Amino acid sequence: DKTLRVVEGLEREIEIFCVDAGKGNALEKLAEKIGAGRENIIAIGDSGNDITMIKYAGLGLVAGNGSDEVKTHGDKVICTNDEHVVKYVLENYFN
């Protein structure tokens, strides 16, 4: 018996998926495969389907244009997608 999860995507859009297939579980499996601890993982997201990934990562960042729900699960809200979140992370978290 699998449990489904429903999350808000873009405006007027919902996403339905099996909880076993979420981004958090995928990130966990990848981390195990490459031998990376959670504390060494940064996840960046902006919508409901990113919550499990953000919660799994050692550092969960949420784009400023992300939904209010996602913002409650992240460690920090950063710039918006239009302001190049990956560039922001590289400049602010890596030397």
Side-chain angles (χ1 to χ4, degrees):
D1 185 328
K2 300 292 181 180
T3 303
L4 297 178
R5 177 159 168 85
V6 178
V7 297
E8 179 183 347
L10 301 173
E11 185 177 330
R12 296 180 296 194
E13 174 187 290
I14 62 169
E15 298 178 20
I16 302 171
F17 57 92
C18 175
V19 295
D20 293 339
K23 291 182 180 182
N25 288 339
L27 186 57
E28 181 179 9
K29 296 294 183 203
L30 176 62
E32 289 172 3
K33 188 168 187 87
I34 65 173
R38 292 172 72 172
E39 69 278 2
N40 296 314
I41 297 173
I42 298 174
I44 310 164
D46 63 356
S47 66
N49 66 353
D50 298 321
I51 291 172
T52 58
M53 173 181 68
I54 289 168
K55 289 171 65 173
Y56 176 80
L59 178 61
L61 303 176
V62 180
N65 59 295
S67 71
D68 290 339
E69 179 189 11
V70 178
K71 289 177 183 176
T72 66
H73 295 283
D75 296 305
K76 183 175 181 184
V77 176
I78 59 172
C79 65
T80 69
N81 288 341
D82 292 333
E83 299 169 301
H84 310 289
V85 293
V86 174
K87 180 179 183 240
Y88 176 91
V89 170
L90 292 173
E91 291 177 349
N92 291 277
Y93 291 92
F94 296 91
N95 292 325

